[in-house]
């Protein structure tokens, strides 16, 4: 097959397929695979395994009982081998491209029999070296060991280059590694592994430029140089450092309880919470996992029975997880303290209103029930004038001064004289009325 085939067809040919043939109650299938892709000048091995299925049992056929016919042109055959389970060839190619390798099988004891199985694979040969870049990180602050591209910030990340060289083509080569970490820093080393600390969270693109100098090549007359460029997208996340729970710690049954959960770390988070009588580790428990891109999550719950409960919460992102607990006391439905304050306040208000109402009513009644009062026309003239008007008035000593209206005076003869002056003057005018 020429190198000009579309990637879809190439991908289909890379997949291990099986061609079956029925012989009686036996079915044959042939599996074929290579250890490619390889760089030009290196060697690749292609393996073919014959399987026999009989009564739902699949066994590996002995290659010595069958003939394996290989088609690998224009690749160069460097080695052919058979073992207990498969037949294999080793090929090499100086050019680049996609090459088809086919194999078909016949029974060895029957030269005239038709083939019983056939299959094809595709071998990729590239100009550049083949390998891949990996990023790993040890467990730090609850972060699980990572072998991928989700890593924790503020922790050392190990970037490593793994070369794909099944035939040890680069065994004697000298390598130079130029690292670019995606945060503005770069370093050159002679080792395929380096450590770097990413201080902030975010997405970065790490890249590596590899150069291999081949001084002793079996396949080339002169020293040659192979290069390769490899990249990896890294997602750095902050480790979850704390989970805070705000809200009331006491409530009553049948009352809606609302608590605010705040996670300190890099979202998205998987939040899981559970309310039980005892605190739970949430490992294998039936909690309520929710995925959120926010750092704050609201928990709402209604209790059906009184008692002491424990709210267990767990937050997890791609690099860490953290657990937190909170105690909650649930009381029976009773009289809220405000219901004691309201009656007292109402009673005082009613009492004050009653007092004011009583005073106002008493004043109103007294106003309407006033009667006319007769007031005598008293003579408010000075006492001396009155005394002068009295007959036989004589001045009394200061020590014996007394109202002449209430004290009788004894004449020198010892006879008691009766008061002849009336208490009030005779009224000659009508009685005057005053309103009290």
């Amino acid at each position: 097959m020429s190198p000009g085939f579309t990637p879809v067809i190439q991908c289909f040919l890379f997949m291990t397929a099986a061609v079956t043939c029925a012989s009686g109650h036996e079915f044959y299938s042939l599996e074929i695979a290579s250890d490619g892709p390889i760089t030009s000048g290196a060697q690749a091995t292609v393996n073919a395994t014959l399987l026999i299925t009989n009564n739902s049992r699949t066994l590996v056929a002995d290659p010595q009982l069958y003939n394996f016919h290989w088609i690998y042109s224009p690749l160069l055959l460097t080695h052919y081998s058979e073992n207990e389970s498969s037949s294999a060839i080793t090929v090499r190619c100086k050019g680049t491209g996609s090459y088809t390798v086919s194999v078909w099988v016949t029974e060895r004891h029957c030269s005239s029999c038709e083939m019983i199985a056939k299959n094809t694979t595709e071998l990729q040969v590239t100009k550049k070296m083949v390998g891949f870049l990996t990023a790993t990180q040890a467990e730090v602050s609850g972060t699980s060991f990572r072998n991928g591209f989700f890593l924790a910030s503020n922790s050392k990340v190990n970037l490593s280059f793994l070369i794909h060289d099944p035939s040890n083509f680069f065994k004697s080569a000298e390598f130079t590694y130029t690292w670019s970490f995606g945060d503005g820093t770069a370093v050159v080393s002679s080792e395929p592994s380096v450590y770097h600390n990413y201080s902030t969270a975010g997405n970065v693109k790490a890249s590596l430029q590899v150069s291999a100098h081949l001084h002793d090549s079996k396949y080339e007359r002169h020293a040659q140089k192979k290069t390769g460029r490899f990249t990896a997208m890294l997602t750095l996340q902050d480790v979850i450092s704390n989970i805070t729970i705000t809200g009331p710690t006491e409530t009553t049954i049948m009352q809606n309880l609302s608590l605010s959960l705040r996670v300190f770390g890099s979202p998205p988070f998987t939040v899981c919470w559970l309310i039980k009588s005892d605190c739970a580790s949430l490992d294998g428990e039936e909690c309520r996992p929710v995925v959120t891109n926010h750092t704050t999550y609201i928990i709402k719950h209604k209790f059906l029975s009184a008692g002491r409960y424990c709210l267990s919460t767990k937050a997890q992102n791609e690099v860490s997880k953290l657990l937190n607990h909170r105690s909650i006391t649930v009381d029976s439905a009773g009289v809220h303290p405000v219901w004691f304050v309201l009656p007292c306040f109402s009673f005082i208000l009613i009492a004050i209103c009653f007092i004011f109402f009583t005073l106002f009513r008493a004043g109103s009644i007294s106003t309407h029930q006033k009667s006319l009062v007769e007031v005598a026309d008293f003579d408010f003239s000075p006492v001396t004038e009155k005394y002068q008007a009295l007959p036989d008035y004589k001045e009394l000593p200061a020590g014996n001064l007394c109202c002449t209206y209430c004290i009788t005076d004894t004449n020198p003869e010892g006879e008691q004289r009766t008061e002849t002056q009336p208490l009030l003057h005779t009224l000659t005018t009508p009685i005057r009325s005053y309103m009290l």
Side-chain angles (χ1 to χ4, degrees), residues 227-416:
T227 61
R229 183 174 181 84
F230 309 91
T231 60
M233 291 299 300
L234 307 180
T235 301
L236 283 304
Q237 291 187 333
D238 291 332
V239 175
I240 300 176
S241 59
N242 191 18
I243 301 176
T244 60
I245 304 173
T246 57
T249 58
E250 296 183 358
T251 184
T252 58
I253 60 176
M254 303 306 296
Q255 181 179 2
N256 291 325
L257 177 65
S258 180
L259 298 173
S260 177
L261 184 70
R262 185 177 181 184
V263 184
F264 293 85
S266 294
F269 304 109
T270 300
V271 179
C272 180
W273 59 276
L274 183 66
I275 296 179
K276 295 180 62 177
S277 57
D278 298 325
C279 297
S281 62
L282 300 182
D283 292 333
E285 296 283 350
E286 294 182 358
C287 59
R288 305 178 182 182
V290 177
V291 179
T292 177
N293 289 319
H294 303 283
T295 58
T296 302
Y297 181 75
I298 304 300
I299 297 177
K300 294 184 178 182
H301 187 71
K302 182 184 291 186
F303 292 91
L304 302 180
S305 59
R308 294 183 63 87
Y309 295 86
C310 180
L311 170 63
S312 301
T313 59
K314 181 176 69 173
Q316 181 175 355
N317 58 11
E318 294 291 342
V319 297
S320 62
K321 64 180 178 179
L322 194 63
L323 188 68
N324 196 7
H325 304 284
R326 179 162 187 172
S327 178
I328 301 175
T329 302
V330 181
D331 297 326
S332 300
V335 180
H336 197 273
V338 71
W339 297 111
F340 291 99
V341 177
L342 289 178
C344 296
F345 178 80
S346 302
F347 177 78
I348 295 173
L349 183 62
I350 293 173
I352 294 174
C353 294
F354 179 78
I355 292 173
F356 278 99
F357 175 78
T358 303
L359 294 176
F360 176 80
R361 183 174 181 81
S364 178
I365 294 176
S366 62
T367 302
H368 290 287
Q369 290 183 352
K370 285 181 179 179
S371 59
L372 295 177
V373 178
E374 294 182 355
V375 180
D377 189 8
F378 289 96
D379 187 4
F380 295 97
S381 60
V383 178
T384 55
E385 296 179 0
K386 294 178 182 182
Y387 285 172
Q388 293 176 359
L390 293 176
D392 301 329
Y393 170 78
K394 61 181 179 179
E395 186 176 350
L396 299 176
N400 297 324
L401 182 61
C402 184
C403 181
T404 57
Y405 298 106
C406 55
I407 302 176
T408 58
D409 187 17
T410 306
N411 57 13
E413 291 78 15
E415 295 177 2
Q416 185 176 3

Side-chain angles (χ1 to χ4, degrees), residues 151-163:
L151 305 166
S153 59
N154 292 314
S155 182
K156 288 185 177 181
V157 177
N158 179 227
L159 296 173
S160 299
F161 172 69
L162 300 177
I163 190 172

